[in-house]
Amino acid sequence: MSEEALAKNNDYESQWYEQDIPIRGCHLSFSQIKNAYRELSVLTKSEGEKIVDKLDKLEGESEEEFTKRKEFLKLDAFKVTVSIVGFDGQTVYGETETVFDSSNLPIPIKTIFFTNETSYRRNANRTLPNNRFSFWINFDKPPLFDPNPLVSSPTHNDSKAEIKAEDVIFFRAVQNILSEKLSSNKKWYSFVHEKFAYDAGVWLIAIPYALYWITIYSDSFFRSDDNLASFRIAFYIYASGLSLLFYRGLFSYIKWAFPVNILEENKDHATRHRLLLGAIMLGLIVSGVNSMIKTFAGF
């Protein structure tokens, strides 16, 4: 009977507010995620109290039974459920923030999912709450060397927040929790995963840099008065192709070492790779600057 009463809560027309919000470029910790979970739980509990207080007593139901039913619904139907999934498929499930402190967590973690739909549906004949949200936070990495031909596309990642509500106050509250607790710690390198980041790097950095060095070495290897001068064009073409392949591999390596989202507790040992990439980039910059100074010193 409690299920029928809650389900009737959805039986009327209303105006909806809905939004799918990507969660990208974030460096998160369990502490931050727990804070978001805690505030979403408070919001869900408050929403539940408003709904349950409007319920009517069922026919033949005593006052004591009615009170117990309302207390049960407040405790069981308005929770934020959490699923923490490892890369091997192991899943830990819970409905309190203590799940984040479990000794059985599948470290490293691939996905953290939480929603206010599950607890409501089991008490409302599988119907959905009018004000609802679902969060997916994915910490997967792209391939070390990505064979995907669609290099201009943003890096694939399923992290997002889905919000659908009839109450604009509830809608804005979930948005604020997302922006303040989860999306506020975005990192500077997140742009490498955006649309056309690869193309911008090719045209603004990789091609100019490669053509400069190709010209320098072409003048050194194939002088105009040398018998090998006719190989200059072939050298330009072949060296340009190799440069683009090197850039493609380096770009994939950067995206792998700096994934879309990072969870501190995963401790993926990518720091050494980030240091290596830093050394590579610094070496390329220093050698390029030194060469240009020597080349154009007379200008």
Side-chain angles (χ1 to χ4, degrees):
M1 298 299 288
S2 62
E3 294 181 351
E4 294 177 2
L6 273 183
K8 287 179 181 178
N9 181 63
N10 292 347
D11 292 341
Y12 60 88
E13 294 183 1
S14 60
Q15 181 179 359
W16 289 95
Y17 303 88
E18 54 184 305
Q19 187 178 14
D20 291 353
I21 307 172
I23 303 175
R24 298 175 63 89
C26 300
H27 188 125
L28 300 171
S29 66
F30 273 159
S31 175
Q32 291 171 292
I33 297 173
K34 283 172 65 176
N35 286 339
Y37 175 88
R38 187 179 301 118
E39 293 196 13
L40 289 170
S41 295
V42 171
L43 180 65
T44 300
K45 182 179 179 181
S46 175
E47 177 71 9
E49 290 176 349
K50 290 188 294 184
I51 292 173
V52 173
D53 288 341
K54 293 178 181 178
L55 294 178
D56 296 323
K57 190 164 62 171
L58 301 175
E59 184 177 350
E61 186 178 32
S62 68
E63 192 64 38
E64 182 181 358
E65 290 172 335
F66 183 43
T67 300
K68 287 182 178 180
R69 179 164 64 90
K70 290 197 296 182
E71 289 303 317
F72 172 79
L73 290 174
K74 286 181 180 180
L75 291 174
D76 193 69
F78 301 94
K79 294 182 176 181
V80 180
T81 57
V82 184
S83 296
I84 300 177
V85 185
F87 282 88
D88 59 356
Q90 179 187 351
T91 302
V92 173
Y93 172 88
E95 293 186 329
T96 66
E97 65 181 81
T98 57
V99 68
F100 295 104
D101 301 316
S102 171
S103 59
N104 297 320
L105 289 178
I107 302 292
I109 291 168
K110 181 179 181 181
T111 303
I112 297 177
F113 168 74
F114 43 89
T115 182
N116 70 335
E117 296 179 7
T118 305
S119 62
Y120 186 93
R121 292 182 68 193
R122 69 171 176 248
N123 289 282
N125 286 332
R126 312 306 297 171
T127 60
L128 292 168
N130 289 335
N131 298 313
R132 57 187 182 265
F133 57 82
S134 294
F135 283 52
W136 292 264
I137 311 174
N138 192 286
F139 302 102
D140 201 4
K141 287 188 172 189
L144 182 55
F145 295 105
D146 190 359
N148 185 2
L150 303 177
V151 292
S152 298
S153 300
T155 305
H156 177 75
N157 188 278
D158 295 324
S159 300
K160 63 177 179 177
E162 290 183 355
I163 312 170
K164 187 171 184 178
E166 63 171 12
D167 182 359
V168 68
I169 296 177
F170 180 95
F171 181 76
R172 297 301 182 199
V174 177
Q175 283 183 322
N176 289 337
I177 292 171
L178 172 63
S179 62
E180 293 178 8
K181 301 301 179 181
L182 298 179
S183 299
S184 60
N185 194 25
K186 288 197 172 184
K187 293 301 181 180
W188 63 269
Y189 53 75
S190 62
F191 72 91
V192 302
H193 298 286
E194 299 302 322
K195 191 175 184 180
F196 298 123
Y198 177 88
D199 305 79
V202 164
W203 292 104
L204 299 179
I205 300 174
I207 290 180
Y209 188 88
L211 288 178
Y212 171 80
W213 280 111
I214 291 170
T215 301
I216 294 295
Y217 284 113
S218 178
D219 289 343
S220 177
F221 297 156
F222 309 101
R223 299 181 181 277
S224 57
D225 57 350
D226 196 302
N227 293 333
L228 299 177
S230 58
F231 288 95
R232 290 172 67 96
I233 296 177
F235 177 75
Y236 260 94
I237 295 173
Y238 187 70
S240 296
L242 287 179
S243 298
L244 289 176
L245 286 175
F246 175 78
Y247 171 76
R248 173 72 181 270
L250 183 61
F251 193 80
S252 294
Y253 188 25
I254 290 173
K255 292 202 296 182
W256 179 87
F258 297 91
V260 177
N261 293 317
I262 294 175
L263 180 66
E264 285 184 9
E265 283 75 7
N266 274 350
K267 298 179 181 179
D268 62 359
H269 306 295
T271 302
R272 69 187 71 173
H273 296 280
R274 294 168 193 157
L275 292 173
L276 176 60
L277 279 167
I280 292 173
M281 300 303 293
L282 181 61
L284 291 173
I285 293 171
V286 170
S287 61
V289 170
N290 286 339
S291 177
M292 292 182 68
I293 291 175
K294 293 178 181 177
T295 302
F296 301 108
F299 289 10

